[in-house]
Amino acid sequence: MACHINFSSSAFTPFLFTNNTNHHPFSEFKFNSPTSNTSSSSSSLSSSSSSSSSRSCTRRWFNSVRRRNSDNSSEILRHWIEAPNQSHASPERFTVASYNILADRNAKQHSDLYLNVPSRYISWDRRKTLISNELFGWDPDILCLQEVDKYVELSDILVKAGYTGTYKRRTGDTADGCAMFWKADKFRLLEEEGIQFKDFGLCDNVAQLLVFEMCESESRRVIVGNIHVLYNPNRGEVKLGQIRFLLSRAGALSEKWGSAPIVLAGDFNITPQSGIYKFLSSSELNILLYERKELSGQKSCRPAQVLGEKKETVRPFILLDGLLKCWTDEEVKVATGDSERHLAAHSLKLNSSYATLNGSASTRGFSGEPLATSYHSKFLGTVDYLWYSEGIVPTRVLDTVPIDDLVRTGGLPCKRVGSDHLALVSEFSFSVTNNESTEMVAAAAASPRIYIEDWQSGIIREENN
Ligand code: KL2
């Protein structure tokens, strides 16, 4: 499955981050105090033009045993990318962030994923401060967090900053869960639904669905979902079952609240090349065209494989008959909802914010999605998304980090990023109908009110148009 990153392609022309004027027309968010020798490092990367020398550079940067220079990750720049045409966007806007913050317990339990990360970057106290500061810098109105195992500590920080929050812990022998926070002066909570997939035979994962109304305009409602899908790459049927269930509950809430638009944020544990991504974006999927264990695309994203250090293993051609045998009736039922039906379908029209708004060639893959939203010693790729339904449009997104800058860190968390994922942030506005659009144009045309002061009498009058 194509998750392969070719360093000789133009998509990976490295940026030199010493001169910010390179980055027009993007507005940008810049982390503090870049002090590194990045310009010389970048030069050595950019000087490699043939694929073989690119590969040797890649090897130099991705080496799990090499100790990193602590300044390697100083230059982590993120740019806001604006939608080019905003004529169908209402003035009411809101921002949503999705961030898998790496649970403290998971960081300790899966230490093999962070062997080349200095222990100070793994410390929860340090990561907590970094994560909070990252979030405050982007100032999202709604936060959708995954892998939260210190909810009270985060809540203490975020409530002081004006947010209200709610938490849904995973079931089973796990300590983390999903948390959502929203600005209390911007949104009123109308309804909340916590989903524990265990109740439906779909493992110990959880999701949240919240219905909001904007304080400034009560007619503007939005349903926001937050999910952390099962990690296990072999259980494609459970992943699809969880996502199908979330979509159907979100659709039901939307109907209940006057066809309110939907945002679905989270760590979906699927890649943009996967069958399940196709299910989300095209609303249906014939599961028999995929092997159950390949439905998420995760297995093609080991860093050495993605960076071209190892040849991809060529799988033998499997006849459809062979594929059919991969799915038991029970697995088909979990995946599609009916053991007799091989077509999984949903009724929402979903698009992904990042795929909608073109990013820089250094951050995006063929699908338009980020090249990577997560990086550690066993994974380099994209699993986090911000999906939206009809009724809203993304007006800007916070682009992810150029892939060679990310690779240069050697793995996350790093000096500037508090988790092994990057946060995704998108601003949305409500789509305006043609009627509303005409009214907005008319209002704008009528709006210039000109006042003239009589210099002799001092009387101010409004000039008639
Ligand atoms: O991929 V994740 O990381 O969304 O960032 O979600 C899970 C994985 C998270 C919660 O279960 O823990 C990580 N190998 C690598 N990562 C794992 C494994 C594993 N065997 N098990 C859990 N996680």
Side-chain angles (χ1 to χ4, degrees), residues 100 106 110 113 147 170 228 231 267 269 374 376 420-421:
N100 177 327
N106 292 352
H110 300 292
L113 307 180
E147 285 203 38
R170 279 203 284 165
H228 188 187
Y231 163 74
D267 176 348
N269 267 318
S374 179
H376 56 59
D420 58 351
H421 288 245

Side-chain angles (χ1 to χ4, degrees), residues 142-157:
I142 299 172
L143 295 173
C144 301
L145 307 179
Q146 306 87 40
E147 285 203 38
V148 176
D149 66 349
K150 308 272 185 187
Y151 176 73
V152 175
E153 287 182 44
L154 275 180
S155 177
D156 282 348
I157 297 171

Side-chain angles (χ1 to χ4, degrees), residues 141-434:
D141 299 317
I142 299 172
L143 295 173
C144 301
L145 307 179
Q146 306 87 40
E147 285 203 38
V148 176
D149 66 349
K150 308 272 185 187
Y151 176 73
V152 175
E153 287 182 44
L154 275 180
S155 177
D156 282 348
I157 297 171
L158 291 168
V159 165
K160 284 192 188 103
Y163 289 91
T164 302
T166 180
Y167 179 59
K168 182 74 191 161
R169 188 183 158 145
R170 279 203 284 165
T171 54
D173 182 27
T174 49
D176 66 281
C178 291
M180 289 177 71
F181 292 89
W182 62 96
K183 283 190 186 159
D185 62 356
K186 180 129 183 177
F187 285 104
R188 223 182 334 271
L189 181 66
L190 297 176
E191 186 172 346
E192 173 175 2
E193 185 171 323
I195 298 170
Q196 44 184 56
F197 291 107
K198 188 185 175 64
D199 295 347
F200 311 95
L202 292 168
C203 296
D204 284 320
N205 304 81
V206 293
Q208 300 171 291
L209 281 166
L210 269 55
V211 184
F212 292 111
E213 176 173 87
M214 283 186 107
C215 298
E216 67 180 90
S217 170
E218 290 179 2
S219 63
R220 298 298 193 189
R221 290 175 185 156
V222 62
I223 291 153
V224 184
N226 180 28
I227 187 169
H228 188 187
V229 173
L230 177 73
Y231 163 74
N232 191 336
N234 294 326
R235 305 292 307 273
E237 83 286 13
V238 175
K239 290 167 187 272
L240 187 51
Q242 290 180 348
I243 293 169
R244 247 185 350 95
F245 189 85
L246 177 73
L247 267 44
S248 110
R249 290 307 310 152
L253 278 176
S254 169
E255 257 182 46
K256 176 177 172 183
W257 290 98
S259 302
I262 300 166
V263 176
L264 296 174
D267 176 348
F268 286 72
N269 267 318
I270 54 157
T271 70
Q273 292 77 27
S274 66
I276 300 181
Y277 182 93
K278 187 171 174 293
F279 167 75
L280 277 153
S281 57
S282 69
S283 299
E284 58 177 41
L285 182 78
N286 179 352
I287 59 165
L288 294 189
L289 297 178
Y290 296 83
E291 263 188 272
R292 186 175 60 93
K293 296 181 179 181
E294 304 290 341
L295 206 51
S296 73
Q298 284 157 298
K299 288 185 178 171
S300 314
C301 290
R302 290 183 81 85
Q305 207 177 351
V306 175
L307 298 172
E309 290 175 342
K310 263 191 200 156
K311 286 254 181 302
E312 277 184 67
T313 43
V314 180
R315 265 182 273 278
F317 181 69
I318 306 166
L319 293 170
L320 195 60
D321 184 43
L323 283 175
L324 283 168
K325 287 191 185 119
C326 293
W327 290 88
T328 65
D329 283 356
E330 182 53 31
E331 286 158 1
V332 172
K333 182 158 195 273
V334 169
T336 68
D338 180 347
S339 60
E340 301 288 310
R341 196 155 38 90
H342 299 143
L343 195 71
H346 69 82
S347 55
L348 306 179
K349 286 189 181 131
L350 294 176
N351 282 294
S352 155
S353 284
Y354 279 70
T356 302
L357 297 184
N358 293 335
S360 145
S362 62
T363 61
R364 303 298 181 88
F366 292 118
S367 57
E369 293 291 352
L371 284 163
T373 63
S374 179
Y375 181 29
H376 56 59
S377 59
K378 293 194 178 152
F379 186 87
L380 173 59
T382 290
V383 287
D384 304 279
Y385 303 91
L386 281 166
W387 297 93
Y388 64 95
S389 74
E390 284 180 317
I392 45 178
V393 283
T395 43
R396 55 182 188 145
V397 293
L398 183 70
D399 208 3
T400 48
V401 178
I403 194 73
D404 43 0
D405 286 13
L406 192 62
V407 169
R408 196 175 296 126
T409 67
L412 301 178
C414 67
K415 190 175 184 180
R416 305 285 182 209
V417 180
S419 172
D420 58 351
H421 288 245
L422 300 173
L424 300 185
V425 190
S426 177
E427 181 187 72
F428 296 95
S429 77
F430 295 84
S431 330
V432 291
T433 59
N434 279 343

Side-chain angles (χ1 to χ4, degrees), residues 40-60:
S40 63
S41 314
S42 297
S43 307
S44 69
L45 251 181
S46 53
S47 66
S48 56
S49 53
S50 79
S51 61
S52 64
S53 59
S54 299
R55 263 201 290 279
S56 71
C57 278
T58 307
R59 228 173 266 129
R60 219 179 103 206

